[in-house]
C-alpha cells in the first residue's frame, strides 16, 4: 500500500460544497422539467411503480422487484400525498449522497483528492443527474452501490460492523435491483479471501434476509419459488435468443402482449414461477444448442454495455435535453460523457493493476454490474450503478497512467462506437405510451391528444392507430374507431388485437358473420390470444354453433389454465344456453 497521504486541507468544506453542488444541479433539472408531459403522466415502469405504491402490493407474486414501490410508498406517506415530484426531490438528495459516498471511499483508500475528483465528476455526470429525476429504481440503486463500495473500501480489511452494514445495503439492493446480486457474489468471494469465510458468510446471510422475506411472501400465493419477481425469466430471454436485436426493441403494445402469452400457450405454464422458468429454459436452450450464435450475441451485448450512447428503456434519455437546459449541457447525443469515462476508467484500472494497487470493492462493483448487463441486456439504467465505481477507478488510476496503459482505453473506446443494434426510442413512442397510461386511468378523451401527437410524428405507428381506435370506441365513436382499426390492419395485417377489436365492433352492430370472420382472423394471427377465443365463442353462440363454441372454449382453457374473467363469462353463457354442466 502507498504511504498515508497528508490530510487534505479544508476537506470538510470541500465535501459540503460537493453535496450542495450535486443537489443544486439536480434541483435545477427537476424545476426545469416539471411541466414536461412525460413527468406529468407516468408511463411504463414508472407508472407501474407509482400504481403499486398508491394502490398496494398485488394479490399475487411480484412481477417487478418491490423495493422501489415500497420506497415511493414511504415517501408518499411521509409527506401525506401521492406526488411523484416528492420522490424526485428525495432522489436528488440520494444523488448528492452518492457523490459524497464516492468521495469518502477515496479517502478510505488513502486518496482523498482522487475521491473528491470522482465525487465532483459524479455531481455533473449527465446520466446520473438524469436518473435522479426519473421515477425508476436507478437512482436509489446508484446510492446503494456507492455505499457498498464505501463500506468495504479501506486500507485494512473491513471489520464486522462494516460487513454487516454492507450486507444490509446489498439486501436492500436485492429487492430493488436483483442484478446487484452479481457484484454481491464477487464481493463475497473477495471477502472470503481477504477476511475469511465467516465474514463472507455473514455478509451473504444479512443480504439474504429481505430476499428470503419477499420469496416467502411470493410463495404464500402457491405460485412456486419466485425469489424476488417473476419478470427475470422474460428479461433473460429478451437478451438471449436468436432474434436479440428485434426482441430487445419490443415495446409494450400488441407485440408485447403476444410475447407474454407464450409460456402459458406454448409451454403449458400454470403458475407465475413456471412462466418465468419457461423463458429461462428457452434462453438456456438457445445458448447450449447454438453456442456460436449465442457467443456472438454476448460479444454484441458486451460492446453495447460499453456503448458511448446511452441506451434508453422507458424512453430515449436524450429527450430530456428538450426539457432542461442543464441536461442539454450535461448529456450530448454523440456520447458525452461516457465517451470520456469509459476510456479513462479503462486506462486508470490498467495502471492500478500494473502497480498492484487496484482496490477490489470498486473494481468488483463495476465489473459485476457490467457483467449483469451482458448476462441480461444492456440499457443505460442497468449500467448506472456501475458509474460511481468507474469514476472512482478513473480518478485513482489516472495519475499513474503510462503509455502501456493506453491500449486498454483504446479497446474500450473502440467497443463504445460499435452500433449497439438497439434503435433509439422515437418520440412518437413516448406520446403513445402517455396516451396508453391515460386510457388505462379511464381518461380516453385526454389520451386521444397524445395518440394524435404520436401519429403526427409517425403516421405508420400501428399500435397508436389501434390504441386510438380503442379510445374512440370508449367514447362511443364507433365508426371512427372502425376506420382506425382498418388502418391498423393495413399497416400490420397480423395484428391480432386489431382483428379482435374489429370483430367486437361488428358484433355490437349485429353483423354476426363479419364478427365471426374477424375473430377467427384474430385467433389465426395469434393462437394464444385467449380473449379473442372467448369473443369468438360468443359469436359462435350467437349463431347457434354450440359445438364450435365449446371447442374454442376448450382450446382457450388449454392455452390459458389460469383464471380469466373473459373466459369465465363465455363459459357461463355457454352453460346457460346449452344447459351443460
Amino acid at each position: 500500500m502507498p504511504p498515508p497521504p497528508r490530510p487534505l486541507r479544508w476537506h470538510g468544506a470541500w465535501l459540503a460544497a460537493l453535496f450542495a453542488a450535486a443537489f443544486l444541479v439536480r434541483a435545477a433539472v427537476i424545476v426545469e422539467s416539471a411541466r414536461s408531459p412525460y413527468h406529468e403522466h407516468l408511463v411504463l415502469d414508472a407508472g407501474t411503480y407509482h400504481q403499486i405504491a398508491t394502490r398496494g402490493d398485488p394479490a399475487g407474486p411480484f412481477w417487478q422487484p418491490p423495493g422501489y414501490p415500497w420506497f415511493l410508498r414511504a415517501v408518499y406517506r411521509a409527506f401525506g400525498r401521492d406526488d411523484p415530484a416528492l420522490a424526485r426531490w428525495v432522489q436528488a438528495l440520494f444523488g448528492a449522497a452518492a457523490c459524497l459516498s464516492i468521495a469518502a471511499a477515496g479517502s478510505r483508500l488513502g486518496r482523498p483528492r482522487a475521491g473528491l475528483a470522482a465525487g465532483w465528476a459524479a455531481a455533473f455526470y449527465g446520466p446520473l443527474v438524469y436518473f435522479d429525476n426519473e421515477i425508476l429504481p436507478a437512482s436509489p440503486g446508484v446510492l446503494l452501490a456507492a455505499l457498498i463500495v464505501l463500506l468495504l473500501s479501506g486500507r485494512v480489511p473491513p471489520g464486522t460492523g462494516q460487513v454487516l452494514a454492507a450486507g444490509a445495503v446489498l439486501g436492500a439492493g436485492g429487492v430493488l435491483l436483483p442484478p446487484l446480486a452479481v457484484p454481491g457474489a464477487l464481493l463475497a468471494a473477495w471477502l472470503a479471501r481477504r477476511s475469511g469465510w465467516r465474514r463472507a458468510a455473514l455478509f451473504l446471510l444479512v443480504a439474504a434476509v429481505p430476499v428470503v422475506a419477499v420469496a416467502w411472501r411470493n410463495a404464500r400465493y402457491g405460485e412456486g419459488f419466485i425469489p424476488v419477481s417473476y419478470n427475470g425469466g422474460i428479461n433473460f430471454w429478451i437478451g438471449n435468443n436468436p432474434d436479440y436485436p428485434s426482441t430487445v426493441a419490443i415495446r409494450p403494445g400488441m407485440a408485447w402482449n403476444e410475447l407474454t402469452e407464450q409460456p402459458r400457450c406454448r409451454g403449458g405454464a400454470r403458475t407465475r414461477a413456471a412462466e418465468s422458468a419457461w423463458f429461462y429454459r428457452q434462453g438456456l436452450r438457445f445458448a447450449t444448442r447454438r453456442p456460436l450464435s449465442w457467443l456472438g450475441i454476448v460479444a454484441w451485448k458486451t460492446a453495447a454495455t460499453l456503448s458511448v450512447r446511452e441506451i434508453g428503456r422507458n424512453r430515449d434519455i436524450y429527450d430530456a435535453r428538450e426539457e432542461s437546459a442543464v441536461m442539454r449541457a450535461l448529456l450530448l447525443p454523440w456520447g458525452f460523457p461516457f465517451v470520456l469515462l469509459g476510456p479513462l476508467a479503462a486506462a486508470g484500472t490498467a495502471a492500478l493493476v500494473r502497480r498492484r494497487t487496484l482496490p477490489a470493492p470498486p473494481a468488483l462493483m463495476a465489473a459485476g454490474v457490467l457483467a449483469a448487463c451482458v448476462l441480461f441486456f444492456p440499457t443505460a439504467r442497468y449500467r448506472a450503478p456501475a458509474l460511481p465505481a468507474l469514476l472512482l477507478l478513473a480518478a485513482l488510476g489516472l495519475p499513474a497512467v503510462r503509455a502501456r496503459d493506453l491500449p486498454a482505453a483504446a479497446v474500450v473506446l473502440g467497443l463504445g462506437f460499435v452500433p449497439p443494434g438497439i434503435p433509439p426510442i422515437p418520440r412518437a413512442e413516448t406520446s403513445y405510451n402517455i396516451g396508453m397510461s391515460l386510457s388505462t386511468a379511464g381518461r380516453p378523451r385526454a389520451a386521444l391528444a397524445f395518440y394524435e401527437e404520436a401519429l403526427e410524428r409517425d403516421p405508420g405507428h400501428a399500435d397508436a392507430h389501434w390504441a386510438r381506435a380503442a379510445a374512440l370506441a370508449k367514447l362511443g365513436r364507433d365508426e371512427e374507431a372502425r376506420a382506425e382499426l382498418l388502418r391498423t390492419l393495413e399497416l400490420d395485417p397480423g395484428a391480432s388485437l386489431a382483428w379482435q377489436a374489429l370483430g367486437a365492433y361488428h358484433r355490437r352492430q349485429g353483423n354476426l358473420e363479419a364478427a365471426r370472420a374477424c375473430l377467427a382472423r384474430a385467433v389465426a394471427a395469434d393462437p394464444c390470444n385467449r380473449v379473442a377465443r372467448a369473443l369468438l365463442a360468443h359469436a359462435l353462440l350467437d349463431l347457434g354453433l354450440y359445438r364450435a363454441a365449446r371447442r374454442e372454449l376448450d382450446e382457450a382453457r388449454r392455452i390459458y389454465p389460469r383464471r380469466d374473467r373473459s373466459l369465465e363469462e363465455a363459459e357461463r353463457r355457454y352453460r346457460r344456453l346449452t344447459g351443460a354442466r
Side-chain angles (χ1 to χ4, degrees):
M1 296 292 293
R6 289 178 297 177
L8 185 63
R9 195 176 184 186
W10 305 109
H11 189 249
W14 277 109
L15 290 176
L18 168 61
F19 185 89
F23 178 77
L24 288 174
V25 71
R26 285 154 176 79
V29 173
I30 292 173
V31 172
E32 285 186 307
S33 60
R35 296 184 180 179
S36 163
Y38 179 81
H39 288 281
E40 184 178 351
H41 307 289
L42 301 178
V43 301
L44 301 181
D45 289 346
T48 302
Y49 292 133
H50 176 71
Q51 288 177 6
I52 295 173
T54 55
R55 299 178 185 176
D57 293 341
F62 291 112
W63 157 249
Q64 291 175 305
Y68 192 66
W70 291 347
F71 156 73
L72 291 178
R73 190 177 302 156
V75 172
Y76 297 162
R77 289 180 178 176
F79 288 94
R81 54 195 175 102
D82 301 337
D83 186 356
L86 298 171
R88 292 190 170 96
W89 286 103
V90 173
Q91 289 178 174
L93 294 172
F94 282 2
C99 296
L100 280 187
S101 299
I102 298 167
S107 295
R108 288 182 58 82
L109 291 166
R111 299 286 300 281
R113 288 180 175 81
L116 275 174
W120 279 94
F124 296 95
Y125 193 88
L128 292 178
V129 177
Y130 168 83
F131 283 118
D132 286 331
N133 192 32
E134 293 292 299
I135 304 301
L136 294 170
S139 175
V142 166
L143 175 59
L144 295 178
L147 287 174
I148 292 171
V149 171
L150 169 62
L151 289 166
L152 296 181
S153 295
R155 297 168 59 83
V156 296
T160 303
Q162 293 169 257
V163 170
L164 286 170
V169 174
L170 179 62
V175 297
L176 179 87
L177 289 174
L180 285 178
V182 178
L186 297 177
L187 288 166
W190 167 76
L191 272 174
R193 182 176 179 181
R194 188 176 189 193
S195 302
W197 67 268
R198 287 185 178 84
R199 284 190 178 171
L202 186 64
F203 173 71
L204 291 176
L205 284 173
V206 173
V209 170
V211 176
V212 170
V214 171
W216 178 79
R217 183 259 182 204
N218 288 338
R220 289 172 53 200
Y221 293 95
E223 297 275 358
F225 178 66
I226 301 173
V228 177
S229 57
Y230 66 92
N231 68 340
I234 194 170
N235 284 340
F236 179 76
W237 180 85
I238 285 173
N240 295 276
N241 72 88
D243 300 317
Y244 158 71
S246 59
T247 55
V248 79
I250 290 178
R251 306 283 296 162
M254 293 185 287
W256 179 262
N257 289 346
E258 292 179 14
L259 174 61
T260 56
E261 292 288 347
Q262 297 301 308
R264 295 183 289 269
C265 177
R266 303 191 185 280
R270 292 180 174 271
T271 65
R272 300 301 189 188
E275 293 171 20
S276 184
W278 185 85
F279 278 116
Y280 273 119
R281 286 196 302 273
Q282 295 300 109
L284 291 172
R285 184 176 291 118
F286 166 63
T288 54
R289 294 184 178 180
R290 299 174 58 182
L292 293 180
S293 298
W294 177 72
L295 288 173
I297 288 175
V298 168
W300 199 352
K301 290 193 293 182
T302 301
T305 298
L306 299 173
S307 175
V308 299
R309 195 180 195 284
E310 302 293 334
I311 300 172
R313 187 63 181 164
N314 242 39
R315 66 165 177 163
D316 191 336
I317 78 171
Y318 296 100
D319 291 351
R321 301 182 72 247
E322 299 182 17
E323 303 164 1
S324 165
V326 175
M327 292 311 304
R328 279 197 295 275
L330 301 182
L331 188 65
L332 301 182
W334 48 264
F336 181 83
F338 197 80
V339 71
L340 294 179
L341 175 58
L344 292 178
T349 301
L352 293 169
V353 169
R354 176 173 50 81
R355 298 184 61 171
R356 299 183 180 180
T357 57
L358 179 68
L364 294 176
M365 177 59 70
V369 171
L370 298 179
C373 291
V374 176
L375 180 62
F376 289 88
F377 58 90
T379 71
R381 82 191 218 200
Y382 297 163
R383 183 171 72 178
L387 297 175
L390 290 173
L391 288 165
L392 186 57
L393 291 172
L396 291 170
L398 278 179
V401 167
R402 301 294 181 266
R404 70 185 75 177
D405 305 315
L406 297 181
V411 169
V412 170
L413 185 61
L415 290 174
F417 281 102
V418 173
I422 306 171
I425 300 170
R427 291 298 298 270
E429 190 72 20
T430 301
S431 299
Y432 158 73
N433 289 328
I434 293 173
M436 288 292 289
S437 176
L438 290 169
S439 290
T440 304
R443 300 173 60 190
R445 194 177 304 278
L448 283 176
F450 289 98
Y451 293 143
E452 288 160 6
E453 181 180 294
L455 292 171
E456 286 178 8
R457 297 177 186 274
D458 180 8
H461 198 303
D463 279 17
H465 282 287
W466 162 71
R468 185 170 187 271
L472 290 168
K474 289 179 181 178
L475 294 171
R477 297 158 62 178
D478 280 354
E479 289 306 315
E480 294 176 75
R482 176 177 173 274
E484 285 294 330
L485 291 173
L486 293 175
R487 177 58 178 154
T488 303
L489 292 168
E490 287 178 13
L491 295 168
D492 183 3
S496 176
L497 293 179
W499 284 115
Q500 173 187 312
L502 192 59
Y505 161 81
H506 283 303
R507 186 164 177 255
R508 288 195 301 272
Q509 299 299 316
N511 303 325
L512 300 183
E513 285 294 346
R516 175 190 178 185
C518 289
L519 291 167
R521 290 288 298 271
V523 170
D526 179 16
C528 300
N529 186 341
R530 68 186 186 280
V531 177
R533 287 190 182 275
L535 290 174
L536 178 56
H538 277 296
L540 292 168
L541 291 172
D542 293 338
L543 293 166
L545 302 173
Y546 299 145
R547 290 184 180 179
R550 182 70 261 171
R551 286 196 297 270
E552 289 299 329
L553 291 172
D554 289 342
E555 183 62 15
R557 277 299 175 200
R558 186 193 68 79
I559 65 175
Y560 194 81
R562 302 175 61 82
R563 293 195 61 181
D564 181 78
R565 186 169 59 183
S566 60
L567 293 181
E568 291 169 358
E569 181 183 343
E571 287 174 336
R572 282 195 297 270
R573 184 168 180 240
Y574 172 82
R575 290 193 298 270
R576 188 169 61 251
L577 292 175
T578 64
R581 298 180 63 181

